[in-house]
Amino acid sequence: MTDNTADHLDAYPPTAEFAAAANAGESLYDRAAADREAFWAEQARRLHWHQPFTRVLDWDDAPFAQWFADGKLNVAYNCVDRHVLDGHGEQVAIHWEGEPGDSRDITYAHLLAEVCRAANYLTELGLKAGDRVAIYMPMVPEAIVSMLACARLGLTHSVVFAGFSPSALRQRVDDAQARLVITTDGQWRRGKPAPLKEAVDEALVGSEHSVEHVLVVRRTEIEVPWTDGRDLWWHETVAEASADHEAQPFDAEHPLYILYTSGTTGKPKGILHTSGGYLTQVSYTHHNVFDHRAGQDVYWCTADIGWVTGHSYIVYGPLSNRATQVVYEGTPNSPDEHRHWQIVEKYGVSIYYTAPTLVRTFMKWGREIPDAHDLSSIRVLGSVGEPINPEAWRWYREVIGSNSAPIVDTWWQTETGAIMISPLPGVTAAKPGAAMTPLPGISAKVVDEEGNPVHLGETEANGYLVLDQPWPSMLRGIWGDPDRYRSTYWERYAEQGWYFAGDGAKLDADGDLWVLGRVDDVMNVSGHRISTAEVESALVGHHSVAEAAVVGASDDTTGQGIVAFVILTAGAADTGQDLIAELKAEVSREISPIARPREIHIVPELPKTRSGKIMRRLLRDVAEGRELGDTSTLVDPNVFEAIRTQKANW
Ligand code: WTA
């Protein structure tokens, strides 16, 4: 055995006290290993089924899975009604904190009434099970109510992050053929209202779109453009509807939502999730990974509902487990850097789940800020979205977790729907920076190009992360594009029938798993997935740009920063800083401010292979200031001289 490796010594086991009281013990792994399908059936039975399932997994039509296929349930009923019927109507579901300082406590009974009103009004609008609804909203309670109302009616929601541009919204609305868009008049940003409904109007202008109505929640009182007949105020319609509504059961495989995510091409993929398997796994993971206790814990996931983390760990996971949770509308530094810790103190947050980029930002702001607050209520910390560096991990545990809270570093993806690889807080001796082990019921491997297992502890011989067994919350496809689903995830290891995650990983000498980051052309900026192709296409959309190559270069705070290299058109009038500023603004406008390049360099040429492929690896070396790797396959190795000369002037 390799007990004395540094990796092994630097591990943080749970205290005996924590382990003894935890939801999940060692035996959970044994039960799952003994009979995987029986294990998942047991987890699924934590939910309420209108019609119990008799089958667990159908994998005959792989890679299209069906879980619990003959069962029927209602997702919203599971997240709201059943808690009220069980006598917990007065329990707070959501402690909502508005950005400007307003707040609302929403009980499960209140949430149920709101969801029923929305469901009744959406029915009145003529929407029927299977129709798509786009939700383009900031973090207001009505966003969660809208998602649950869709789920209740079997409508498939497509939440579009409210930071996305009108053109990104248009693309998503068109792809899903949404009949309704739900939005707000505006959103609060650092104490000021910014328009949002306006962006919906812009997205819908001119296109032959499918949208019949735009439903608008009043949030900021900002003035909004209005199209009579199409546009509807929430407070005049939903708020007036009846609060009685009976939830109908839907098939376990009924589509629940589409969520667009960046792939390796410019066009975002509509990841499709269905009902029974998805809810089973988000509920199971939220219960065990966060050691959540209904009625006792106060849970806070700082994600936005525009991302999968918000879907699974603000809406469906926590609500299915009758959580009391904090939902916060604003940024961590409005009005100042104390905001998160004031909220933790105010509500006694006990489980706090965030992204490494934010932990690194808190580190930069200095520990005296969290130290000024009583954070002793926190007993579990979570991390998601990108690898967490060991230094940030230790700081997180020591400063935010009072040197005692276990950290769960949770690896998963929009496609996996729920957490896949993570420590269990009452079991695992977690190592700073490692996602550790697949959860009970989940199977993963680290393999080389050919699919052979990599050897333990060979840190240089890193491999690819694959999932070698179907799992309940797995994506059921890419909306409208089954071929792309097969080729993106299942072609690479077609022979073995494994899912290719697109991440690099290694196993240390103890066999524990470390996720190393994307191995494709997807960048990870502050935990947000952005494809190089998307940014490149926004850049070449500008009349002064002939060609563009984009790479993710490592960044101390955001994980990766976007660095672009552009060749200008012959006729480009401006070639200086003004143009660079304009190009950055163009990317923000076309995609979102989150995709704005950190640096743009104007270069005479781009390094290409003989087959015309841009050598991004070499550009990354340049962007990160490293010695260049192998340049022998380049058509013109001199191109780097030109880029380097250019770089001397940066
Ligand atoms: C990365 C977010 C390392 C990874 C839930 C993955 C992580 C992509 C971790 C999915 C983690 C997520 N450690 N890397 N704990 N969690 N990632 O779809 O590259 O927005 O493929 O889902 O984020 O991003 P997505």
Side-chain angles (χ1 to χ4, degrees), residues 30-208:
D30 303 335
R31 264 153 55 207
D35 187 339
R36 221 173 74 89
E37 289 195 20
F39 175 80
W40 281 119
E42 182 189 324
Q43 300 312 322
R45 289 192 192 100
R46 295 180 63 245
L47 305 176
H48 173 87
W49 293 83
H50 278 75
Q51 179 182 303
F53 54 89
T54 62
R55 302 207 304 272
V56 179
L57 168 66
D58 292 322
W59 190 229
D60 298 343
D61 191 24
F64 295 91
Q66 295 199 18
W67 284 85
F68 316 114
D70 61 349
K72 288 186 195 295
L73 79 172
N74 185 291
V75 169
Y77 179 94
N78 272 285
C79 291
V80 191
D81 304 48
R82 90 179 145 130
H83 309 317
V84 177
L85 293 169
D86 286 348
H88 299 289
E90 293 314 305
Q91 184 186 319
V92 172
I94 298 170
H95 290 298
W96 181 74
E97 277 286 310
E99 207 239 35
D102 48 340
S103 63
R104 281 163 67 183
D105 280 348
I106 301 167
T107 62
Y108 273 97
H110 184 176
L111 184 62
L112 176 60
E114 295 295 303
V115 172
C116 288
R117 286 185 213 282
N120 280 321
Y121 186 66
L122 296 189
T123 305
E124 208 177 296
L125 281 180
L127 292 161
K128 287 192 273 315
D131 287 344
R132 273 82 58 206
V133 173
I135 297 177
Y136 184 61
M137 297 171 91
M139 293 291 287
V140 292
E142 291 83 355
I144 297 172
V145 169
S146 297
M147 291 166 76
L148 291 167
C150 287
R152 189 176 191 87
L153 297 173
L155 305 172
T156 303
H157 60 68
S158 163
V159 180
V160 180
F161 175 54
F164 272 131
S165 66
S167 74
L169 174 63
R170 177 188 303 133
Q171 199 175 25
R172 287 158 175 77
V173 163
D174 286 350
D175 188 73
Q177 292 286 291
R179 289 184 65 191
L180 172 71
V181 180
I182 311 181
T183 189
T184 58
D185 53 354
Q187 54 183 333
W188 288 105
R189 284 228 199 99
R190 301 183 197 287
K192 292 202 189 72
L196 191 65
K197 159 71 164 58
E198 209 172 280
V200 177
D201 284 31
E202 205 180 318
L204 299 183
V205 154
S207 71
E208 276 293 311

Side-chain angles (χ1 to χ4, degrees), residues 233-303:
W233 281 115
W234 177 285
H235 61 269
E236 290 174 357
T237 56
V238 174
E240 301 295 319
S242 155
D244 290 323
H245 183 272
E246 198 181 331
Q248 302 301 315
F250 291 98
D251 288 346
E253 285 297 337
H254 188 80
L256 178 63
Y257 68 80
I258 305 167
L259 183 59
Y260 288 84
T261 187
S262 292
T264 50
T265 68
K267 189 173 179 263
K269 300 176 284 197
I271 302 300
L272 176 67
H273 283 291
T274 60
S275 305
Y278 173 79
L279 195 63
T280 295
Q281 195 174 330
V282 295
S283 193
Y284 155 75
T285 50
H286 175 262
H287 178 73
N288 289 299
V289 174
F290 299 112
D291 191 41
H292 175 260
R293 272 165 235 167
Q296 292 173 40
D297 277 310
V298 178
Y299 166 86
W300 183 13
C301 165
T302 69

Side-chain angles (χ1 to χ4, degrees), residues 208-506:
E208 276 293 311
H209 55 74
S210 48
V211 174
E212 294 157 29
H213 290 289
V214 178
L215 183 55
V216 189
V217 172
R218 194 154 68 188
R219 171 60 186 139
T220 58
E221 316 256 330
I222 202 170
E223 218 172 297
V224 291
W226 204 254
T227 305
D228 283 329
R230 184 195 71 182
D231 298 347
L232 306 155
W233 281 115
W234 177 285
H235 61 269
E236 290 174 357
T237 56
V238 174
E240 301 295 319
S242 155
D244 290 323
H245 183 272
E246 198 181 331
Q248 302 301 315
F250 291 98
D251 288 346
E253 285 297 337
H254 188 80
L256 178 63
Y257 68 80
I258 305 167
L259 183 59
Y260 288 84
T261 187
S262 292
T264 50
T265 68
K267 189 173 179 263
K269 300 176 284 197
I271 302 300
L272 176 67
H273 283 291
T274 60
S275 305
Y278 173 79
L279 195 63
T280 295
Q281 195 174 330
V282 295
S283 193
Y284 155 75
T285 50
H286 175 262
H287 178 73
N288 289 299
V289 174
F290 299 112
D291 191 41
H292 175 260
R293 272 165 235 167
Q296 292 173 40
D297 277 310
V298 178
Y299 166 86
W300 183 13
C301 165
T302 69
D304 189 285
I305 49 139
W307 312 111
V308 75
T309 307
H311 284 61
S312 300
Y313 297 105
I314 293 177
V315 183
Y316 296 112
L319 295 178
S320 70
N321 287 328
R322 188 168 47 88
T324 293
Q325 68 177 320
V326 170
V327 173
Y328 171 51
E329 185 184 32
T331 55
N333 54 353
S334 50
D336 60 35
E337 291 84 0
H338 290 268
R339 192 69 188 264
H340 272 216
W341 317 123
Q342 277 160 349
I343 293 175
V344 167
E345 260 184 329
K346 177 173 174 185
Y347 296 109
V349 169
S350 54
I351 304 171
Y352 179 80
Y353 188 31
T354 197
T357 185
L358 196 54
V359 176
R360 291 191 292 265
T361 303
F362 292 144
M363 286 171 77
K364 241 180 14 195
W365 290 344
R367 69 170 292 164
E368 58 282 5
I369 292 175
D371 280 351
H373 301 271
D374 177 8
L375 306 182
S376 60
S377 56
I378 292 180
R379 63 179 198 90
V380 178
L381 291 170
S383 173
V384 61
E386 51 176 323
I388 180 164
N389 47 311
E391 193 195 351
W393 195 103
R394 291 198 188 87
W395 189 93
Y396 194 28
R397 179 174 159 111
E398 186 186 328
V399 179
I400 309 302
S402 307
N403 223 356
S404 65
I407 296 179
V408 287
D409 175 6
T410 63
W411 178 87
W412 59 294
Q413 310 177 300
T414 305
E415 292 87 342
T416 69
I419 298 170
M420 302 292 284
I421 305 176
S422 168
L424 284 176
V427 180
T428 316
K431 297 172 187 169
M436 302 299 293
T437 26
L439 291 177
I442 298 299
S443 184
K445 282 185 160 60
V446 182
V447 299
D448 66 14
E449 287 288 344
E450 281 77 47
N452 304 310
V454 297
H455 297 293
L456 302 195
E458 278 186 16
T459 48
E460 294 313 312
N462 298 328
Y464 300 110
L465 180 57
V466 298
L467 303 168
D468 59 324
Q469 300 276 349
W471 62 100
S473 64
M474 69 193 291
L475 74 166
R476 299 303 198 262
I478 294 176
W479 185 255
D481 202 345
D483 292 341
R484 193 175 178 198
Y485 171 59
R486 278 202 183 84
S487 64
T488 308
Y489 306 106
W490 302 94
E491 215 162 79
R492 182 89 162 237
Y493 294 103
E495 208 176 297
Q496 297 89 343
W498 296 338
Y499 170 92
F500 174 63
D503 278 314
K506 67 170 187 181

